[in-house]
């Protein structure tokens, strides 16, 4: 044991560093559960207690949630944590953080099998431990981390099989890949493509092994229900449509301008515009500013933010690429890395958002490995310059350290100030206050239209109220129904809806919780305001009116 | 080499020329291009610019001062072909075609194979970015050809000192951008690639170009508004308040959260200007602009095209792999040149100035062909077919480019102005300024003959906009309308904004008062003609 620790002390330090960055005050940062976390949390408790989500669907394959139809993996895995830890906000963040930590050894062993050089594996694990996107997504209850973990493990088993032809590795990889595909819908598309690419790339090695169909059949058997549900479930199709590039406004504008008088040319022109737009969008994903400077969208200060990768990593990514290009070995590995990046970037190009870092985590993972290659060879090179090697390495690691500190500052300090509204801050305070006033009013009306700069609707408000009121999910399932007012959801005394003040101001024995976007402060008698709720930056988010 | 050997390059040059000549009036001019064209006309006919100044050196534009070479080239074209599209565009079409020839010659320096050079010239000849900017008066194209010519004269051709000095001087009076790139580019080429002269001459030329550049810079810095022009357009990074605000805000949040002032200051300080400038440069060096969309605003490029065809990204990447895996001095030049020719963009943050990346297109083409010739034959054929398909679609779809940029490059403005002037005869005409950006220059360019606005009193016209041109008045958003009484009424071409004003202020039934409605390219009403019953103040 002692020798195991001593032999792997650098890896253990990296692992502990990664674990620290993921678990340090996990319950406090991000400062508030966003609506994705909240909906999955309450649904997971509902599943654990009743076997149904809050809308009464029995063990759903896809969760209607707040109309965005969420993949099932994360909700179900959180249910397991609920059984262990009970009614606790932290349980929603634990699976993400745990997989976020497990990715570090996964990267290490995957890289070791893949590139067969320990220093590269260590450097890749190091970048994985400190990369902004890894920390950011691991702390925000994101299911993609689990999928990436399984993807890496799956390929590691495949490499092991190529090295030692033991068919058990194939069975393991089939199971792991299948699980990986269940975690996130885009994985169901990308993992099979990567597998096909892998088999083609390493066809010579596979040809030397005794062919065994059973692992393939096992994989097909395991993923058959997934594809059956994807193809047959209208909600999955709806989800795909709502995020598909067809919803992109700019594309819509181009198609409108590109209209011609002839039906045939219209079809031709529209097809071309569509394809061209997708290609443009695909290229845009390689914007270095997005990758290294502000892609995580943690601030409102333009280029001063944090990208999925550290700014200093740009140097090592370039060095890694240069090394791969300039060396004649690793031919298959080189093209596999390239194809991995090119293929895994596709989902972001096919969806309506300008950039979707959460859909291309696999790309960033590979770029961490490429920067690991860069760092490893940089260190090897510097070691040759004996006189200055210490100084250069000191400067290099100081730069990395400073960059990490900068990111942590942005993440822990600036992000809450700049983006608290996107974390649905202060819905928790609102919900807790509403419950504290429960006995004092006949009804409580909450209009979740809010925003710091412009209004948006917090569509998960009923989840916040249900969860923070410790409202039993079974009762919630029975009580929850839609009302006659615009976007109205009703349960118990609560009505979550749009407030129309000229009509609502005459109601009696009612607590209204509204923002300035639905009821301007000037329209309300100030003496009736019994509580104000601020965003993290101190600006007014909601206020409570007692009628 | 006889004609037979040159047949392919001749075909490419002729095609390159014809493709630029095709649909001569596309794209319609922006205000700045129309201003250059009209100025060229007044200079060649009167010896004065549009503001009445005699053969000036510094010109006006909507965002900056402008250096003279582009204007005088336009004047030459208009002198030969008259005040029309041919006159204003042909000089640039010819310059654009010349770039094809020089690219061919420069390609020989990197790889003497004929096939290699032909492909490079073909890519430059059919580059969407090059084609677009070869059809309008602009300084980026002029600078591109001068940079290419400089490299050719310094590194490829037999050393001709006089010609080199002439080209250096010409490039330095083309655009301010050149003051930053030429003093580095010339010594770089001289010391690393020129073999035909000794070190002393190299030093002399380098010092000469540095001295001229610094002198021009200092002279410019000291003219009225010169400093402002440099800060606003070339060093905008340093007056970008969003950076300062960002530093203050992020640091303030740290202090409010209990952070130590020392740490906050070391994390958020003025060094961010460096990183932001660098990132701004990088953001313009991304594949999206090279192969995706040259101009996101659709003003300075085809709507569906980058500076090169999208399909060329495959050979470009292969070329990049090739030159990185065979690092030779020559190949390194390509990469360093791209850096030298674009580095001033670091200081231009937060603005994108994609026209400035035009001089690197020939270098990108060379890298692309390095990759192309190493691809499998099948893939090469596929790339050529898709290349032609993209090119074909780009031309078939020029209408879309026209429609999408209709505010910045209005096609309908010519008809509106000419019809308005015809209807008004000798009477006063007032036109709403929000019909197009900087409307006055369109009036001057599209009207028959010339109409001088001023008599040369304004010596340094920085961002100057004319609001009175002879008996034409430009109606601004501050202008008002009244019933004339004893005052002389004006014919009015009003935008929707001013039609609303007329209707509400004067209580006029506009549907009766409007004599003619003009439509834009999308068939929407854009402007309305009123008979002379109203006065404008």
């Amino acid at each position: 044991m002692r020798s195991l620790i001593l032999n792997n002390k650098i890896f253990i330090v990296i692992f502990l560093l990664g674990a620290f960055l993921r678990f340090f005050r996990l319950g406090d940062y991000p400062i508030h559960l966003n609506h994705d976390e909240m909906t999955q949390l309450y649904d997971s408790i509902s599943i654990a207690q009743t076997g149904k989500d809050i809308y009464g669907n029995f063990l759903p394959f896809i969760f209607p949630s707040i109309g965005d139809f969420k993949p099932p993996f994360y909700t179900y895995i959180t249910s397991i944590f609920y059984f262990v830890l009970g009614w606790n906000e932290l349980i929603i963040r634990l699976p993400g953080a745990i997989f976020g930590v497990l990715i570090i050894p996964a990267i290490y062993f995957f890289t070791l099998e893949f590139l067969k050089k320990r220093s590269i594996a260590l450097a890749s694990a190091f970048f994985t431990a400190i990369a902004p996107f890894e920390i950011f997504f691991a702390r925000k209850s994101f299911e993609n981390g689990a999928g990436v973990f399984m993807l890496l493990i799956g390929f590691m088993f495949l490499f092991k099989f190529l090295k030692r032809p033991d068919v058990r590795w194939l069975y393991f990889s089939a199971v792991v890949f299948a699980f990986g595909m269940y975690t996130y819908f885009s994985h169901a598309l990308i993992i099979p493509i990567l597998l096909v690419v892998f088999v083609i790339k390493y066809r010579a090695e596979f040809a030397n092994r005794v062919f065994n169909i059973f692992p393939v059949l096992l994989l097909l058997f395991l993923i058959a229900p997934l594809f059956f549900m994807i193809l047959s479930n209208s909600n999955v199709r709806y989800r795909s449509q709502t995020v598909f590039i067809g919803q992109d406004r700019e594309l819509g504008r181009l198609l409108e301008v590109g209209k011609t008088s002839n039906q045939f040319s219209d079809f031709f022109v529209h097809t071309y515009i569509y394809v061209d737009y997708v290609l443009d969008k695909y290229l845009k994903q390689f914007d270095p500013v997005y990758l290294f400077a502000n892609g995580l969208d943690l601030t409102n200060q333009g280029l001063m933010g944090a990208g999925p990768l550290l700014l200093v990593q740009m140097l090592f990514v370039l060095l890694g690429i240069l090394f791969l290009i300039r060396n004649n070995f690793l031919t298959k590995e080189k093209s596999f890395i390239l194809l991995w990046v090119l293929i895994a970037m596709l989902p972001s190009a096919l969806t309506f958002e300008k950039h979707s870092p959460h859909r291309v985590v696999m790309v960033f993972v590979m770029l961490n490995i490429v920067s690991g290659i860069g760092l490893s060879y940089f260190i090897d090179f510097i070691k040759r310059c004996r006189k200055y090697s210490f100084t250069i390495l000191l400067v290099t690691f100081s730069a990395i350290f400073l960059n990490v500190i900068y990111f942590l500052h942005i993440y822990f300090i600036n992000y809450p100030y700049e983006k608290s509204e996107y974390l649905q801050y202060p819905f928790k305070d609102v919900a807790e206050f509403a419950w504290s006033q429960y006995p004092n009013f006949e009804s409580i009306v909450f209009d979740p239209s809010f925003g710091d700069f412009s209004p948006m609707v917090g569509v998960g408000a009923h989840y916040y109220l249900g969860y923070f009121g410790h409202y039993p999910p079974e009762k919630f399932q029975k009580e929850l129904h839609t009302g006659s007012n615009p976007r109205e959801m009703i349960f118990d005394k609560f009505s979550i809806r749009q407030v129309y003040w000229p009509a609502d101001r005459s109601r009696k024995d009612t607590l209204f919780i509204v923002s300035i976007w639905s009821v301007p402060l000037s329209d309300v008698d100030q003496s009736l305001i019994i509580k104000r709720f601020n965003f993290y930056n101190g600006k007014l988010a909601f206020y409570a009116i007692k009628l | 080499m006889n004609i037979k050997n040159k047949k392919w390059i001749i075909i490419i040059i002729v095609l390159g020329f014809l493709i630029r000549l095709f649909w001569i009036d596309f794209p319609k001019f922006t205000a700045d291009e129309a201003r250059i064209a009209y100025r060229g006309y007044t200079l060649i006919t009167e010896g004065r610019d549009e503001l009445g100044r005699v053969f000036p050196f510094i010109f006006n534009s909507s965002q900056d001062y402008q250096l003279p070479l582009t204007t005088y080239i336009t004047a030459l074209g208009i002198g030969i072909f008259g005040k029309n599209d041919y006159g204003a565009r042909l000089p640039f079409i010819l310059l654009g075609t010349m770039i094809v020839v020089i690219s061919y010659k420069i390609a020989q320096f990197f790889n003497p194979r004929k096939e290699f050079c032909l492909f490079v010239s073909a890519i430059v000849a059919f580059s969407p970015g090059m084609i677009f900017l070869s059809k309008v008066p602009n300084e980026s194209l002029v600078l591109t050809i001068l940079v290419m010519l400089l490299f050719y004269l310094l590194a490829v051709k037999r050393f001709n000192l006089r010609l080199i000095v002439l080209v250096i001087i010409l490039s330095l009076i083309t655009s301010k951008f050149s003051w930053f790139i030429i003093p580095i580019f010339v010594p770089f080429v001289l010391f690393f690639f020129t073999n035909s002269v000794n070190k002393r001459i190299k030093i002399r030329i380098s010092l000469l170009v540095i001295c001229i550049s610094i002198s021009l810079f200092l002279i410019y810095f000291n003219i009225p508004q010169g400093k402002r022009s440099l800060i606003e357009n070339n060093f905008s990074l340093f007056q970008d308040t969003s950076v300062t605000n960002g530093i203050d805000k992020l640091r303030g949040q740290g202090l409010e959260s209990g952070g130590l002032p020392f740490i906050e200051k070391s994390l958020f300080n003025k060094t961010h200007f460096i990183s932001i400038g660098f990132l701004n440069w990088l953001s313009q060096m991304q594949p999206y602009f090279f192969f995706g969309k040259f101009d996101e605003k659709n003003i300075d490029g085809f709507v569906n095209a980058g500076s090169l065809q999208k399909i060329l990204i495959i050979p470009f990447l292969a070329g990049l792999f090739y030159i990185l895996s065979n690092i030779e001095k020559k190949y390194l030049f390509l990469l360093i040149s791209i850096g030298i020719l674009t580095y001033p963009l670091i200081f231009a943050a937060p603005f994108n100035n994609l026209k400035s990346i035009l001089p690197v297109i020939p270098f990108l083409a060379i890298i692309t062909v390095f990759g192309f010739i190493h691809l499998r034959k099948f893939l090469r054929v596929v790339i050529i077919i898709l290349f032609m398909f993209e090119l074909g679609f780009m031309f078939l779809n020029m209408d879309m480019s026209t429609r999408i940029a209709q505010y910045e490059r209005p096609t309908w403005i010519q008809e509106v102005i000419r019809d308005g002037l015809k209807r008004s005869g000798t009477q006063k005409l007032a036109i709403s300024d929000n019909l197009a950006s900087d409307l006055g220059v369109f009036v001057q360019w599209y009207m028959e003959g010339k109409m001088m606005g001023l008599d040369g009193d304004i010596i340094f016209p920085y961002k100057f906009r004319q609001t009175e041109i002879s008996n034409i008045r430009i109606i601004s958003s501050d202008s008002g309308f009244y019933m004339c009484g004893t005052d002389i009424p004006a014919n009015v071409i009003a935008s929707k904004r001013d039609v609303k004003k007329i209707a509400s202020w004067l209580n006029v039934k506009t549907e009766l008062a409007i004599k003619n409605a003009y439509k834009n390219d999308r068939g929407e009403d854009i402007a309305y003609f009123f008979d002379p019953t109203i006065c404008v103040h």
Side-chain angles (χ1 to χ4, degrees), chain B residues 2-20:
Chain B
N2 59 31
I3 289 289
K4 201 178 169 188
N5 282 337
K6 289 182 180 171
K7 112 179 143 188
W8 281 108
I9 183 62
I10 291 171
I11 290 171
I12 290 170
I13 292 167
V14 171
L15 282 177
F17 176 73
L18 291 177
I19 218 164
R20 285 160 172 76

Side-chain angles (χ1 to χ4, degrees), chain A residues 168-203:
Chain A
R168 277 180 301 180
W169 295 124
L170 283 184
Y171 284 110
F172 288 148
S173 67
V175 172
V176 173
F177 279 133
F179 271 112
M181 283 190 243
Y182 277 93
T183 56
Y184 200 58
F185 288 138
S186 72
H187 287 190
L189 174 74
I190 299 298
I191 290 178
I193 299 176
L194 284 177
L195 264 176
V196 170
V197 169
F198 182 82
V199 172
I200 293 171
K201 280 276 140 210
Y202 291 87
R203 60 187 179 280

Side-chain angles (χ1 to χ4, degrees), chain A residues 383-433:
Chain A
K383 275 181 185 167
R384 280 183 239 150
C385 326
R386 288 191 182 172
K387 205 172 169 187
Y388 302 107
S389 61
F390 177 76
T391 316
I392 295 172
L393 287 177
L394 185 70
V395 170
T396 306
F397 280 94
S398 301
I400 296 173
F401 175 75
L402 268 178
N403 207 167
V404 173
I405 295 293
Y406 175 78
F407 162 69
L408 294 176
H409 191 289
I410 293 280
Y411 180 76
F412 285 106
I413 294 170
N414 305 113
Y415 176 44
Y417 278 98
E418 300 269 308
K419 297 280 181 181
S420 71
E421 61 178 321
Y422 297 103
L423 296 168
Q424 280 68 46
Y425 193 93
F427 274 51
K428 178 181 175 179
D429 289 349
V430 168
E432 286 177 343
F433 175 77

Side-chain angles (χ1 to χ4, degrees), chain A residues 250 253-260 268-270 272-273 275-277 279-281 283-289 292-294 299-301 303-305 311 314 321-322 325-328 334 338 342 354 402 405-407 409-410 412-415 417-418 453 536-539, chain B residues 242-243 245-247 249-257 259 263-264 266-268 272 275-280 282-283 285-288 291-293 296 298 303-305 310 313 317 320-327 349 389-391 393-394 396-397 399-400 403-404 522:
Chain A
E250 176 61 14
R253 193 174 77 97
L254 287 174
L255 291 172
E256 183 62 33
V257 176
K259 263 185 184 162
T260 64
F268 176 71
V269 169
H270 276 204
Y272 187 89
I273 291 172
V275 173
D276 184 76
Y277 193 80
L279 290 174
D280 279 355
K281 199 148 192 206
L283 290 178
K284 225 184 244 182
Q285 306 308 315
F286 296 93
D287 179 358
V289 171
F292 300 99
N294 64 4
T299 69
N300 300 315
Q301 309 304 328
L303 299 181
M304 295 173 71
L311 187 58
M314 191 191 308
I321 293 170
L322 192 66
I325 291 172
R326 287 182 58 78
N327 286 284
N328 292 326
K334 257 188 259 187
L338 179 69
L342 296 181
K354 188 178 174 193
L402 268 178
I405 295 293
Y406 175 78
F407 162 69
H409 191 289
I410 293 280
F412 285 106
I413 294 170
N414 305 113
Y415 176 44
Y417 278 98
E418 300 269 308
F453 300 106
Y536 193 82
N537 61 13
K539 287 189 192 167
Chain B
S242 68
V243 182
N245 290 343
I247 293 169
K249 206 161 188 181
L250 297 177
R251 192 196 291 170
Q253 290 164 356
L255 291 172
E256 202 175 301
S257 305
I263 292 177
E264 297 304 325
S266 36
L267 286 175
F268 303 103
H272 274 280
S275 62
I276 284 170
F278 174 67
L279 288 167
N280 186 63
L282 263 186
S283 75
M285 291 293 107
Q286 55 171 308
Y288 171 67
F291 302 96
K293 200 164 193 176
E296 276 193 303
N298 301 303
V303 69
N304 297 108
K310 278 190 185 60
I313 196 167
L317 286 176
L320 210 53
F321 276 41
Y322 175 78
I323 63 171
L324 286 174
S325 55
N326 299 280
I327 287 188
F389 177 75
E390 273 189 59
L391 189 68
F393 187 83
M394 192 180 85
L396 285 175
N397 209 22
D399 263 343
M400 191 176 161
R403 282 197 295 270
I404 212 153
R522 296 183 197 168

Side-chain angles (χ1 to χ4, degrees), chain A residues 318-375:
Chain A
L318 292 176
L319 284 175
I321 293 170
L322 192 66
F323 170 78
L324 287 171
I325 291 172
R326 287 182 58 78
N327 286 284
N328 292 326
F329 56 98
L330 295 175
T331 321
K332 282 178 189 163
E333 287 78 2
K334 257 188 259 187
S335 52
F336 186 60
I337 289 173
L338 179 69
L339 288 168
W340 176 304
V341 171
L342 296 181
I343 292 165
M345 203 56 118
L346 279 172
S348 195
L350 291 170
T351 46
F352 72 101
E353 290 153 304
K354 188 178 174 193
H355 294 293
S356 331
H358 55 288
R359 294 198 174 88
V360 291
V361 169
M362 280 192 256
V363 175
F364 306 142
V365 165
M366 190 47 89
L367 290 178
N368 267 342
I369 295 175
V370 175
S371 31
I373 297 170
L375 178 62

Side-chain angles (χ1 to χ4, degrees), chain A residues 463-516:
Chain A
Y463 278 91
Y464 285 93
L465 286 167
Y467 176 81
F468 288 109
H470 281 70
Y471 206 77
E474 193 175 0
K475 197 173 168 197
F476 196 82
Q477 289 162 17
K478 285 179 193 151
E479 288 263 333
L480 187 69
H481 62 279
T482 52
S484 54
N485 289 303
R487 54 178 162 76
E488 186 170 28
M489 302 282 273
I490 300 167
F491 75 96
D492 207 305
K493 279 185 186 180
F494 297 95
S495 165
I496 299 123
R497 66 171 169 87
Q498 187 180 329
V499 167
Y500 181 59
W501 196 235
D504 284 317
R505 69 190 318 158
S506 56
R507 287 178 63 120
K508 299 284 174 217
D509 206 14
T510 305
L511 176 69
F512 280 93
I513 300 173
V514 294
S515 74
I516 52 161

